[in-house]
Amino acid sequence: MKKQTIREILQDYKKVLHHDITVYGWVRAFRSNRFIALNDGSTINNLQIVVDFENFDAELISKISTASSLKVVGEVVESQGAGQTVEIIAKKIIILGDNFTEERDKTILQPKKHSLEVLRDQAHLRFRTNLFGAVFRVRHAVSFAIHSFFNKNQFFYINTPVITGADAEGAGEMFGVTNFDLNNIPRDEQGDIDFTQDFFGKKTNLTVSGQLEGETAAMGLGRIYTFGPTFRAENSNTTRHLAEFWMIEPEVAFNNLEDNIDLAEDFLKYVIQYVLDNCKDDLDFLDKRFAEEQKSKPEKERAKEGLIEKLENVITKRFKRVSYTEAIEILLNSKENKKGKFVYPIEEWGADLQSEHERFLVEKHFECPVVLFDYPKEIKAFYMKLNDDNKTVAAMDVLFPGIGEIIGGSEREARLDVLKTKMAEMHVDEHELWWYLDTRKFGSVPHAGFGLGLERLVLFVTGMTNIRDVIPFPRTPKNAEF
Ligand code: 4AD
Ligand code: MG
């Protein structure tokens, strides 16, 4: 017979009621030598196994404890207890995996509450906890919904290279890739590293974004998106930055900035709705946890809405669209700025916005997601379309409450001459990007796209606060343990 997950059994319990079935899982708790809470990771809900210990070997029973892995055969019956519809009356129990109790007791598998920091140090075991089970099931649902949204809208999924010669963002925050023996690096006559002798015959790095390659694909396939790992060697040890994160980058031929903003808004709302519709049990759990968290905060810092309420509100309201110029006016005139409450005070038009400014706009001023557009050209990447004012580019950032920037994108500069001028101004090497420039030579069209940081969206929908807790194995400065 096909193996069934606990989720399937609980969902379709009527099919198995009064039948003998086989279940597998890990023991979450063993109460009174009689009730086992069994979990197999498929759902946050445990399946209760009732053990009449008179019918079992005492030694076997004594070996069952939190973290044991079991195979259980038994009859499905309606449950007498509260909080569960069915339970299993055990007829046969097989211990699958030994439980090294002494070692276990030094891990997060010991049955007590652990801090997120402690759980992070044992990232390989935290999948076993209710919290991380919920987070990673929701992360899965978010990823699935992303593919589903694009598939429904006739986008093609394109895989762009992880190893590339390009610095797509022109920000120089790259991890180099080499097969040189680091103790014996070849050098040329000037003493510079001789990359012609490296594996690819040139300097390469891990990608910071698949956008440039994605644009070339959109120039043939029309609507594409990437979904892959991206790498940034920015040394920012914050709760919102990872050195390795997953980015989703749609790119659409014939779209302008407004189309791009519409797409971003529809996309985010679709994914959040999907999670609301499909992750009820996990969201209920995360919602309760979120409420608990708020209680431990000073009154002023408490969220005004519950987690689920927050998600529902984001879906129903239209995102506020505000130009960079308007936003700077608001910031300049804010009490916070005038009273010197910002770490980086806003002095004039042209200033780059820090996350404190973004969060002020979203959380205090507008109190809803905000899309900022038309940024000064100096603070944005070379590939963005120059507006008629010659001062701003057709950029957009989507800002979310509690998160700040969740999406960054733009209409692209489709005019070859303007693009070349901007590259020269921003010291981006034309020769390195000859293939990118080709897209502007043979039937160049207006096009636009954006990048969503997957982990930032997962932070938002789970109500977690540290980005290290929404990716299975976080990569941050001085941390690549696993
Ligand atoms: O704003 P960014 O740098 O934009 C790009 O990379 C463009 N090429 C996207 C495009 O137009 N196709 O990054 C996009 C998003 C950010 O809004 C943020 O959500 C996320 O990627 N992000 C990070 N997430 C986690 N850790 C980091 N270090 C991140 N850097 C950016
Ligand atoms: Mg950005």
Side-chain angles (χ1 to χ4, degrees):
M1 212 175 89
K2 191 172 153 272
K3 287 197 179 75
Q4 280 188 302
T5 63
I6 290 178
R7 182 164 76 181
E8 280 174 299
I9 293 165
L10 293 175
Q11 255 168 13
D12 285 338
Y13 71 91
K14 285 190 182 131
K15 281 195 197 151
V16 285
L17 197 59
H18 308 305
H19 288 62
D20 280 359
I21 62 165
T22 306
V23 292
Y24 302 82
W26 292 274
V27 175
R28 281 293 169 81
F30 189 19
R31 282 189 295 125
S32 324
N33 266 3
R34 192 169 158 76
F35 300 107
I36 297 174
L38 197 71
N39 189 284
D40 67 353
S42 62
T43 161
I44 193 132
N45 301 309
N46 300 324
L47 182 59
Q48 174 151 288
I49 312 291
V50 182
V51 186
D52 265 321
F53 52 90
E54 300 85 11
N55 301 337
F56 290 89
D57 176 28
E59 201 191 321
L60 178 97
I61 298 293
S62 74
K63 279 189 178 163
I64 299 174
S65 62
T66 308
S68 302
S69 48
L70 306 180
K71 173 180 177 180
V72 178
V73 182
E75 188 188 340
V76 183
V77 299
E78 265 147 353
S79 176
Q80 309 302 311
Q84 63 225 358
T85 32
V86 289
E87 59 193 22
I88 309 274
I89 307 292
K91 292 185 175 165
K92 196 166 135 194
I93 298 177
I94 296 167
I95 297 181
L96 295 174
D98 281 332
N99 207 353
F100 293 79
T101 315
E102 261 174 48
E103 286 183 38
R104 183 207 65 185
D105 287 348
K106 291 183 201 129
T107 72
I108 58 169
L109 296 175
Q110 54 177 305
K112 64 171 224 190
K113 231 180 152 38
H114 306 277
S115 74
L116 290 173
E117 288 76 17
V118 169
L119 290 163
R120 231 171 268 151
D121 287 340
Q122 294 182 25
H124 61 301
L125 294 177
R126 64 183 178 169
F127 298 103
R128 289 271 194 103
T129 64
N130 275 336
L131 177 59
F132 286 90
V135 166
F136 293 127
R137 280 187 297 270
V138 170
R139 182 180 164 112
H140 161 79
V142 167
S143 303
F144 183 81
I146 289 168
H147 285 296
S148 154
F149 174 84
F150 286 124
N151 189 55
K152 274 189 208 303
N153 288 288
Q154 298 172 38
F155 283 67
F156 301 108
Y157 175 37
I158 290 290
N159 304 110
T160 50
V162 168
I163 301 173
T164 164
D167 176 6
E169 291 303 296
E173 291 165 335
M174 297 175 299
F175 289 102
V177 173
T178 180
N179 76 328
F180 280 154
D181 170 358
L182 294 184
N183 296 314
N184 189 18
I185 297 174
R187 301 198 173 257
D188 62 18
E189 277 146 27
Q190 283 82 42
D192 295 332
I193 297 175
D194 183 3
F195 284 103
T196 61
Q197 293 191 48
D198 204 355
F199 188 91
F200 295 108
K202 64 181 285 193
K203 197 174 170 188
T204 54
N205 52 272
L206 296 178
T207 186
V208 294
S209 156
Q211 180 195 319
L212 303 188
E213 293 91 344
E215 279 186 59
T216 69
M219 291 300 103
L221 289 158
R223 296 180 191 179
I224 65 94
Y225 70 104
T226 72
F227 189 154
T230 42
F231 307 86
R232 304 236 172 140
E234 50 191 340
N235 203 0
S236 32
N237 225 331
T238 78
T239 54
R240 283 172 187 74
H241 289 88
L242 289 163
E244 175 179 311
F245 63 100
W246 286 69
M247 186 146 59
I248 295 90
E249 296 183 275
E251 193 67 40
V252 190
F254 316 110
N255 264 11
N256 62 21
L257 182 67
E258 201 183 341
D259 301 324
N260 205 35
I261 298 175
D262 290 341
L263 179 69
E265 183 165 348
D266 290 348
F267 168 57
L268 288 168
K269 287 180 172 174
Y270 177 92
V271 175
I272 294 168
Q273 183 70 60
Y274 182 91
V275 172
L276 282 167
D277 292 344
N278 292 278
C279 303
K280 195 176 174 319
D281 292 346
D282 288 321
L283 274 188
D284 283 343
F285 173 85
L286 292 166
D287 190 61
K288 279 199 199 90
R289 177 188 172 274
F290 185 79
E292 280 299 315
E293 285 269 290
Q294 302 310 310
K295 279 189 208 155
S296 62
K297 290 185 178 174
E299 188 130 4
K300 263 170 77 183
E301 286 167 33
R302 280 183 209 162
K304 293 190 189 108
E305 321 156 295
L307 175 65
I308 293 177
E309 210 181 339
K310 179 182 82 170
L311 300 183
E312 284 167 346
N313 285 341
V314 162
I315 289 176
T316 37
K317 279 193 216 143
R318 198 175 134 86
F319 296 177
K320 182 80 190 165
R321 302 177 184 202
V322 189
S323 74
Y324 167 90
T325 303
E326 288 169 78
I328 284 289
E329 279 304 307
I330 293 167
L331 288 164
L332 277 171
N333 291 320
S334 67
K335 269 205 319 258
E336 277 72 7
N337 201 51
K338 287 182 172 158
K339 289 192 175 161
K341 294 235 167 94
F342 289 134
V343 181
Y344 301 93
I346 296 281
E347 276 158 16
E348 55 184 9
W349 191 94
D352 202 357
L353 299 185
Q354 304 296 327
S355 79
E356 56 177 341
H357 309 128
E358 296 174 342
R359 294 185 59 176
F360 168 81
L361 292 168
V362 174
E363 290 158 27
K364 296 229 171 87
H365 191 83
F366 292 110
E367 297 189 87
C368 68
V370 173
V371 188
L372 291 187
F373 58 91
D374 288 349
Y375 283 73
K377 65 176 179 182
E378 288 79 12
I379 60 172
K380 288 288 181 187
F382 70 92
Y383 50 71
M384 298 188 179
K385 183 191 159 199
L386 185 64
N387 288 327
D388 292 341
D389 61 13
N390 268 324
K391 277 166 54 190
T392 61
V393 286
M396 53 168 264
D397 275 3
V398 181
L399 314 178
F400 258 35
I403 306 289
E405 180 190 335
I406 197 163
I407 278 182
S410 70
E411 183 175 337
R412 316 309 188 187
E413 183 52 74
R415 297 161 294 185
L416 182 63
D417 52 339
V418 183
L419 181 59
K420 280 184 166 186
T421 310
K422 280 199 67 201
M423 286 169 79
E425 277 171 16
M426 301 182 96
H427 310 290
V428 178
D429 190 348
E430 237 186 67
H431 304 291
E432 289 273 315
L433 292 181
W434 64 272
W435 51 273
Y436 181 67
L437 290 171
D438 264 8
T439 57
R440 273 60 170 176
K441 291 181 185 166
F442 316 115
S444 185
V445 295
H447 60 290
F450 60 79
L452 165 74
L454 176 69
E455 288 75 18
R456 297 217 180 149
L457 181 56
V458 178
L459 268 182
F460 183 74
V461 294
T462 56
M464 301 298 284
T465 46
N466 192 319
I467 202 160
R468 291 163 182 79
D469 298 330
V470 296
I471 185 165
F473 297 100
R475 295 285 172 266
T476 50
K478 303 279 180 291
N479 176 29
E481 178 71 21
F482 303 92

